[in-house]
Amino acid sequence: MNEKMTRLQMRRMLRLILGIVLILIAIGVFLIFSLMRTMQNSARQQMSVETQEYKNRIYKQVEADFQSLDTLASFFTIDLLEDREAFAERLDTSNKQNNFRTMAFFYKDGSGVVSTLGIGVSADMDYHELNEVVHPVIEKAFAGEKSVSRLFQSDAVEGRVFAYAVPVYVDGTLVGALMASDQIEIFSDILSGNTVLGGNGYLHMVGTEGNFLVRSSNTVVKEEIENIFDGPYFDEDEVVHLKEEMRDQKKIFSSFVYEGERYQVILDPVGMNGWYLMCVNTLQESNPYVFPVLVIMGAAILVVLFIIFFLFAYGLRLVQRNNKELWRQAYHDALTGAKNLFYFREEVGKLLENVGDFSVVALNIHQFKFINEIFGREYGDRLLIEIKEVLEQGMKEGEFFARDRADLFYLCLLETDREKILERLQDIMDAIVKISSHHHNNYRILLYSGVAINEEGNKDVTPLMTHVMFALTTAKGSYQNNVWFYDSKLHEKEKTENYVESHMHQALKDGEFKFYLQPKVDLSTGKLKGAEALVRWVKEDGSMIYPDEFISLFEKNGFCTKLDLYMVECACRQIREWIDAGKEPVGISVNQSKLLFYENDYIETMTNLIRKYDIPGSLITLEILEGLAADNVDELNQKMSLLQKQGFRISMDDFGSGYSSLNILGNLHIDELKLDRGFLLEVSDAENVRSRIIMELIVQLTGKLHISTVVEGVETAENEALCRDMGCDLGQGYYYSRPIPREEFNQKYM
Ligand code: C2E
Ligand code: CA
Ligand code: CA
């Protein structure tokens, strides 16, 4: 997963979280609104219930009053009514027994008797003399109807009163109207106004036109107004609406705003005279506990949101930090802090898509393992860090490098010109050598590198990396050039490999593999001490293929075992020939591949060969590579010891070329050590004091362990002198002779 993807995922996550938060807010808002609604509804319900209660009380009272009047009227007789004085007395007595303020009876002609508490009785009154509010009530009674008047200010008694009237029948004939006026108890409650809604509300009584009948003293609206539609209660639209509804005697829920606060209102028709009870809730939005609860809820939601955000932000930071660390680990080499191969391949992949013009370089140090072993790991590590620093300086905009493992570095240069690349690599290598020799006591390291210039149209990383390794391997084997380009020549090499693989079996049958010998010379006497058998593939047309071009391939495809045995047999035959010819035979070294060495019947086969040719095993030296020891030193030693019992000598070849280890000398019971040509090259550099120390040390060590040393690649007299001075036993190289066909060898040396 790369950084881009993680960022994408993070953005997706952020969006998700934001979505969740929005949904939470929406849910919160919805909850608050529905709660408010529920509370509003419950407040309305409470108001309804309470209003209904007052309505009931009004009804009961009115009902009771009517009943009292009816009962009284039922006792009236014609005799009683005719004696007005006596009737007046009777009425006055009845009045005192009842709760009415005033009681009156009017004959159908309008005249009548009136008794008023605290004032007395008047026997000669006309109902027209009474407050006009009362007139219709009396007239309705004359028409046979019971009714209640509006509230009015009585002249006779204090306060506002109502009048009731019932028709009076004697023997089925309507004779007049019995009337009473009273201050209904409920209205005093309404007026005092502290019992409604537990003290949190008040009631007015209004007429159908909105005029106040009874106005509570507790009202929040302080203005002295006559009508609810005049004051600050409702806006115009609401007034129109209310008037319409009240005309139809409908129950109405409404609210009004006064001095910035909203109050719930219920207008409930009493069902009498078109009266309405108007209940006002004095609590804003109903309930004293609800508002703080809402506030707390809102705050809680905010806190939760904040916590979610905080946790998210915190988590995000952790993830980011963690990701950063993971990226760092995934893309970096822990030791030097440079980028790693993984990163390198990825970046090269990107370049392949965008830029086509670039080259990939692999850089390596000769004998890095020795540096580690002799100067210490820390020293080696420091060297690698220094190389990384030099490479950092050497990169241009858009270029990058990485360390893969051990001393293998990869560079990506935005260059395709060979000369330019060579120049830049030389500068980089020089800088590394300079810095390292400066810091590390004049030890001059030897660097080599392979280059693959990207070909037009290539979109694949792998062939590029394969080519650069091909070039690096070539650079390692060739000591004259420390920079190798993967080019048509190397491409040819690849082609040759293809030829080799498809023709090897036939070539072995046809005897195209020729037995060449290269002399090994005693450095102290200059005399021939032995020879190394080296194979040459001479094709039908006479052209030659060198082992470099096929041995590693044979090692991979297994053909090596056949070829090596063939060479051993050639060597045995050669020695037999020498003995038969009466010549003093010299030992022949034969290269043995790992595959052959580990074959089950290897020792048996080898023993059979020396028996077949009847030659002493001591004349055959088996050259093995240190890689053999990598798997299992004990097993190798065991095998070697069995071979040594048969007389064979064992030689460690190419010592110092790979990741050679000094431990091998101590652990493996070898008879001979062949120092790789690279050693001689390094030691020949007079300034390279440390290399010399290493080589001297190795030679001393082998001397003590009774291992004879052979130096490979002796090309000059100076080389020879140097090896002799250092105490090496044998020399091998072009200085004495190139590998030559056995016939030529016999002619020259035997
Ligand atoms: P090697 O065993 O290290 O053989 C020495 C190589 O160094 C030979 O290359 C030889 O020609 C070359 N050489 C000798 N003296 C000098 C010198 O003074 N200067 C330079 N520049 N080179 C010198 P060659 O014959 O091409 O063989 C290459 C490698 O192929 C051998 O390296 C060996 O590992 C392998 N090889 C050769 N023949 C056989 C074989 O029959 N079986 C196996 N398994 N490997 C073989
Ligand atoms: Ca060899
Ligand atoms: Ca060698």
Side-chain angles (χ1 to χ4, degrees):
M1 184 168 66
N2 58 26
E3 199 163 340
K4 220 158 96 198
M5 257 173 73
T6 316
R7 256 195 223 133
L8 209 80
Q9 277 187 352
M10 234 165 231
R11 223 171 289 153
R12 220 176 279 161
M13 202 146 96
L14 193 75
R15 245 176 275 154
L16 185 79
I17 296 269
L18 267 174
I20 290 173
V21 165
L22 282 180
I23 289 173
L24 273 179
I25 290 178
I27 290 176
V29 168
F30 174 77
L31 278 179
I32 288 177
F33 271 102
S34 42
L35 193 75
M36 276 168 67
R37 223 196 158 88
T38 314
M39 285 186 313
Q40 195 184 43
N41 283 343
S42 86
R44 282 179 168 182
Q45 211 169 352
Q46 205 187 339
M47 286 158 76
S48 260
V49 168
E50 200 125 334
T51 315
Q52 187 61 45
E53 168 75 20
Y54 276 87
K55 263 164 67 178
N56 290 346
R57 281 166 66 186
I58 292 172
Y59 274 123
K60 256 191 221 151
Q61 182 105 27
V62 171
E63 210 51 48
D65 288 345
F66 275 129
Q67 212 145 42
S68 304
L69 291 182
D70 277 340
T71 312
L72 198 64
S74 67
F75 291 111
F76 292 174
T77 57
I78 295 293
D79 297 343
L80 184 65
L81 290 176
E82 274 175 0
D83 184 354
R84 288 204 184 194
E85 288 302 319
F87 178 58
E89 285 303 315
R90 246 318 258 292
L91 197 67
D92 200 35
T93 318
S94 293
N95 195 17
K96 277 171 190 154
Q97 286 164 359
N98 282 293
N99 291 325
F100 301 120
R101 285 275 149 157
T102 310
M103 277 190 93
F105 178 82
F106 292 102
Y107 299 89
K108 280 181 86 179
D109 60 0
S111 65
V113 177
V114 178
S115 153
T116 305
L117 284 183
I119 292 176
V121 68
S122 154
D124 192 18
M125 281 258 294
D126 190 287
Y127 79 85
H128 293 99
E129 290 167 49
L130 297 176
N131 190 309
E132 58 179 13
V133 173
V134 185
H135 302 176
V137 180
I138 294 167
E139 281 151 15
K140 269 187 195 160
F142 286 157
E145 230 179 274
K146 287 180 191 174
S147 66
V148 186
S149 81
R150 290 203 277 121
L151 198 73
F152 65 96
Q153 188 65 49
S154 157
D155 305 328
V157 293
E158 275 216 1
R160 308 212 309 164
V161 293
F162 285 90
Y164 311 80
V166 295
V168 179
Y169 296 90
V170 176
D171 299 335
T173 316
L174 195 146
V175 292
L178 182 60
M179 187 218 94
S181 77
D182 192 10
Q183 248 181 332
I184 302 177
E185 217 181 285
I186 167 171
F187 300 124
S188 53
D189 280 357
I190 289 175
L191 289 168
S192 68
N194 49 15
T195 52
V196 183
L197 295 174
N200 292 321
Y202 55 87
L203 280 168
H204 299 303
M205 195 142 113
V206 294
T208 315
E209 280 78 39
N211 53 306
F212 282 106
L213 299 175
V214 179
R215 190 167 184 221
S216 170
S217 53
N218 251 19
T219 176
V220 289
V221 178
K222 296 286 176 280
E223 284 85 348
E224 279 298 331
I225 44 168
E226 292 291 315
N227 194 298
I228 56 168
F229 300 135
D230 296 340
Y233 286 104
F234 307 105
D235 60 31
E236 272 173 47
D237 288 348
E238 187 65 2
V239 166
V240 173
H241 168 71
L242 290 180
K243 278 185 175 168
E244 236 167 65
E245 300 280 283
M246 283 170 77
R247 205 175 306 132
D248 298 341
Q249 289 288 295
K250 284 190 180 150
K251 182 171 174 176
I252 312 154
F253 291 105
S254 184
S255 64
F256 65 87
V257 177
Y258 185 70
E259 290 178 345
E261 308 283 8
R262 183 169 285 282
Y263 298 94
Q264 297 289 323
V265 174
I266 188 169
L267 276 157
D268 201 358
V270 178
M272 206 184 282
N273 287 350
W275 296 342
Y276 264 91
L277 280 180
M278 176 179 176
C279 180
V280 178
N281 196 329
T282 53
L283 285 173
Q284 304 116 36
E285 302 299 331
S286 45
N287 191 315
Y289 309 109
V290 168
F291 203 69
V293 164
L294 280 187
V295 172
I296 288 168
M297 244 180 77
I301 286 177
L302 275 181
V303 167
V304 167
L305 285 182
F306 179 78
I307 288 172
I308 287 177
F309 257 113
F310 175 79
L311 283 180
F312 174 69
Y314 183 72
L316 202 70
R317 270 195 57 171
L318 272 186
V319 168
Q320 268 174 343
R321 207 179 300 161
N322 198 29
N323 272 346
K324 243 187 205 162
E325 181 56 27
L326 280 179
W327 285 327
R328 218 187 52 72
Q329 282 175 10
Y331 284 130
H332 286 80
D333 154 43
L335 173 67
T336 62
K339 295 286 187 338
N340 60 16
L341 181 62
F342 183 64
Y343 173 89
F344 190 83
R345 289 188 69 114
E346 227 177 77
E347 290 301 302
V348 169
K350 283 182 201 164
L351 272 188
L352 281 172
E353 271 167 32
N354 308 319
V355 188
D357 297 338
F358 66 93
S359 53
V360 171
V361 179
L363 185 78
N364 215 323
I365 308 171
H366 275 297
Q367 292 172 352
F368 179 66
K369 194 152 187 199
F370 277 127
I371 296 175
N372 263 338
E373 284 189 347
I374 293 175
F375 302 128
R377 238 200 122 79
E378 252 176 59
Y379 178 96
D381 288 352
R382 224 180 316 137
L383 186 65
L384 293 176
I385 292 167
E386 279 165 9
I387 291 178
K388 174 228 164 190
E389 282 161 3
V390 172
L391 290 179
E392 256 167 7
Q393 301 288 319
M395 293 295 106
K396 285 185 182 167
E397 174 89 31
E399 299 180 339
F400 50 92
F401 70 95
R403 173 179 171 248
D404 180 13
R405 67 200 125 83
D407 54 335
L408 180 56
F409 286 87
Y410 286 103
L411 287 62
C412 181
L413 305 180
L414 296 177
E415 312 271 11
T416 49
D417 181 59
R418 264 179 179 243
E419 289 304 311
K420 260 273 174 60
I421 295 171
L422 209 57
E423 203 179 294
R424 287 192 56 194
L425 280 181
Q426 214 53 65
D427 283 352
I428 287 174
M429 286 171 157
D430 286 352
I432 293 172
V433 171
K434 207 169 135 194
I435 282 205
S436 64
S437 65
H438 176 73
H439 283 296
H440 309 296
N441 302 337
N442 292 329
Y443 176 73
R444 290 173 71 83
I445 56 167
L446 208 70
L447 292 149
Y448 61 100
S449 57
V451 185
I453 299 170
N454 185 41
E455 280 165 29
E456 243 185 63
N458 173 41
K459 289 280 171 223
D460 201 354
V461 181
T462 306
L464 206 54
M465 299 304 279
T466 317
H467 291 168
V468 79
M469 281 318 279
F470 208 92
L472 186 76
T473 315
T474 316
K476 182 184 184 175
S478 126
Y479 291 96
Q480 65 265 36
N481 259 337
N482 55 1
V483 178
W484 270 85
F485 286 85
Y486 181 87
D487 54 9
S488 50
K489 243 196 247 162
L490 286 190
H491 187 65
E492 275 307 309
K493 207 172 147 186
E494 266 192 313
K495 258 166 67 183
T496 309
E497 284 189 355
N498 290 339
Y499 174 87
V500 163
E501 274 215 288
S502 51
H503 290 81
M504 55 192 189
H505 291 288
Q506 197 55 44
L508 189 63
K509 269 188 209 148
D510 296 349
E512 287 185 13
F513 290 107
K514 304 288 180 202
F515 182 74
Y516 273 50
L517 286 168
Q518 185 180 32
K520 282 155 84 177
V521 176
D522 187 325
L523 285 168
S524 51
T525 62
K527 281 192 180 152
L528 180 80
K529 252 305 167 75
E532 179 175 1
L534 293 159
V535 69
R536 295 290 179 266
W537 182 344
V538 183
K539 290 202 278 185
E540 235 179 351
D541 61 4
S543 64
M544 194 183 281
I545 310 178
Y546 284 85
D548 277 344
E549 288 175 283
F550 55 80
I551 290 296
S552 61
L553 207 70
F554 288 176
E555 272 164 358
K556 271 184 232 152
N557 66 24
F559 188 68
C560 230
T561 54
K562 284 203 174 87
L563 181 70
D564 285 354
L565 275 182
Y566 169 80
M567 291 296 280
V568 174
E569 182 149 15
C570 288
C572 292
R573 199 184 296 129
Q574 180 61 73
I575 290 167
R576 181 77 258 159
E577 251 184 59
W578 285 334
I579 295 172
D580 288 347
K583 291 170 184 158
E584 194 182 331
V586 288
I588 298 179
S589 300
V590 206
N591 292 292
Q592 302 290 280
S593 71
K594 186 173 172 175
L595 275 179
L596 175 66
F597 206 84
Y598 277 116
E599 280 205 340
N600 282 335
D601 55 357
Y602 176 62
I603 296 170
E604 206 186 324
T605 312
M606 297 303 278
T607 313
N608 286 343
L609 273 176
I610 48 171
R611 287 221 185 104
K612 179 178 170 189
Y613 290 95
D614 190 22
I615 55 163
S618 58
L619 286 178
I620 300 287
T621 301
L622 303 169
E623 289 193 7
I624 57 170
L625 293 169
E626 60 178 328
L628 254 67
D631 298 334
N632 190 338
V633 174
D634 291 338
E635 197 190 340
L636 182 59
N637 263 331
Q638 221 176 349
K639 210 148 201 178
M640 277 166 39
S641 126
L642 287 173
L643 286 163
Q644 280 160 337
K645 266 194 198 130
Q646 297 297 326
F648 293 108
R649 293 178 79 244
I650 310 282
S651 171
M652 171 71 59
D653 201 0
D654 294 351
F655 189 72
S657 69
Y659 295 119
S660 300
S661 168
L662 284 182
N663 293 336
I664 283 193
L665 297 183
N667 295 339
L668 281 187
H669 307 303
I670 51 169
D671 302 287
E672 180 188 272
L673 187 75
K674 289 187 88 173
L675 296 171
D676 190 71
R677 199 163 78 85
F679 260 117
L680 204 47
L681 280 173
E682 280 187 35
V683 177
S684 307
D685 178 354
E687 285 175 55
N688 207 340
V689 184
R690 292 225 159 199
S691 267
R692 218 190 180 100
I693 294 173
I694 296 178
M695 188 156 159
E696 273 169 1
L697 210 120
I698 292 170
V699 175
Q700 274 171 27
L701 204 65
T702 49
K704 282 190 184 136
L705 294 166
H706 306 292
I707 299 170
S708 76
T709 43
V710 183
V711 186
E712 294 184 309
V714 178
E715 290 182 346
T716 60
E718 290 84 55
N719 283 168
E720 186 189 48
L722 194 71
C723 297
R724 196 187 303 121
D725 289 351
M726 269 195 258
C728 301
D729 301 314
L730 304 180
Q732 181 185 342
Y734 295 168
Y735 178 60
Y736 308 110
S737 166
R738 287 181 177 259
I740 44 177
R742 69 177 193 100
E743 299 81 9
E744 195 182 332
F745 185 90
N746 283 333
Q747 252 178 24
K748 271 193 178 163
Y749 297 99
M750 302 307 288

PDB file of all heavy atoms in Angstrom, residues 41 205 241 277 302 508:
ATOM      1  N   ASN A  41     -47.136  19.326  23.333  1.00  0.00           N
ATOM      2  CA  ASN A  41     -48.402  18.602  23.340  1.00  0.00           C
ATOM      3  C   ASN A  41     -48.875  18.335  24.757  1.00  0.00           C
ATOM      4  O   ASN A  41     -50.055  18.483  25.069  1.00  0.00           O
ATOM      5  CB  ASN A  41     -48.267  17.278  22.602  1.00  0.00           C
ATOM      6  CG  ASN A  41     -48.266  17.513  21.099  1.00  0.00           C
ATOM      7  OD1 ASN A  41     -48.677  18.590  20.651  1.00  0.00           O
ATOM      8  ND2 ASN A  41     -47.786  16.553  20.344  1.00  0.00           N
ATOM      9  N   MET A 205     -61.957  34.853  30.726  1.00  0.00           N
ATOM     10  CA  MET A 205     -63.156  34.417  30.056  1.00  0.00           C
ATOM     11  C   MET A 205     -63.464  35.486  29.035  1.00  0.00           C
ATOM     12  O   MET A 205     -63.459  36.679  29.349  1.00  0.00           O
ATOM     13  CB  MET A 205     -64.299  34.282  31.044  1.00  0.00           C
ATOM     14  CG  MET A 205     -65.414  33.500  30.459  1.00  0.00           C
ATOM     15  SD  MET A 205     -66.115  32.465  31.699  1.00  0.00           S
ATOM     16  CE  MET A 205     -67.686  33.216  31.824  1.00  0.00           C
ATOM     17  N   HIS A 241     -57.721  34.415  11.767  1.00  0.00           N
ATOM     18  CA  HIS A 241     -57.917  32.975  11.941  1.00  0.00           C
ATOM     19  C   HIS A 241     -58.746  32.678  13.199  1.00  0.00           C
ATOM     20  O   HIS A 241     -59.711  31.925  13.175  1.00  0.00           O
ATOM     21  CB  HIS A 241     -56.531  32.314  12.030  1.00  0.00           C
ATOM     22  CG  HIS A 241     -56.548  30.890  12.480  1.00  0.00           C
ATOM     23  ND1 HIS A 241     -57.028  29.878  11.685  1.00  0.00           N
ATOM     24  CD2 HIS A 241     -56.142  30.313  13.653  1.00  0.00           C
ATOM     25  CE1 HIS A 241     -56.909  28.736  12.353  1.00  0.00           C
ATOM     26  NE2 HIS A 241     -56.385  28.972  13.547  1.00  0.00           N
ATOM     27  N   LEU A 277     -63.178  30.093  27.398  1.00  0.00           N
ATOM     28  CA  LEU A 277     -62.144  30.184  28.432  1.00  0.00           C
ATOM     29  C   LEU A 277     -60.807  30.277  27.698  1.00  0.00           C
ATOM     30  O   LEU A 277     -60.526  29.503  26.794  1.00  0.00           O
ATOM     31  CB  LEU A 277     -62.143  28.961  29.332  1.00  0.00           C
ATOM     32  CG  LEU A 277     -63.206  28.955  30.431  1.00  0.00           C
ATOM     33  CD1 LEU A 277     -63.083  27.675  31.252  1.00  0.00           C
ATOM     34  CD2 LEU A 277     -63.052  30.166  31.339  1.00  0.00           C
ATOM     35  N   LEU A 302     -23.289  18.274  22.091  1.00  0.00           N
ATOM     36  CA  LEU A 302     -22.082  18.986  21.674  1.00  0.00           C
ATOM     37  C   LEU A 302     -20.833  18.335  22.244  1.00  0.00           C
ATOM     38  O   LEU A 302     -19.833  18.156  21.559  1.00  0.00           O
ATOM     39  CB  LEU A 302     -22.160  20.449  22.122  1.00  0.00           C
ATOM     40  CG  LEU A 302     -22.920  21.371  21.171  1.00  0.00           C
ATOM     41  CD1 LEU A 302     -22.920  22.791  21.705  1.00  0.00           C
ATOM     42  CD2 LEU A 302     -22.297  21.344  19.784  1.00  0.00           C
ATOM     43  N   LEU A 508      29.225 -32.313 -25.845  1.00  0.00           N
ATOM     44  CA  LEU A 508      29.976 -33.243 -24.991  1.00  0.00           C
ATOM     45  C   LEU A 508      30.218 -34.542 -25.768  1.00  0.00           C
ATOM     46  O   LEU A 508      31.316 -35.104 -25.750  1.00  0.00           O
ATOM     47  CB  LEU A 508      29.204 -33.509 -23.699  1.00  0.00           C
ATOM     48  CG  LEU A 508      29.963 -34.297 -22.625  1.00  0.00           C
ATOM     49  CD1 LEU A 508      31.182 -33.523 -22.147  1.00  0.00           C
ATOM     50  CD2 LEU A 508      29.072 -34.628 -21.443  1.00  0.00           C
TER      51      LEU A 508
END
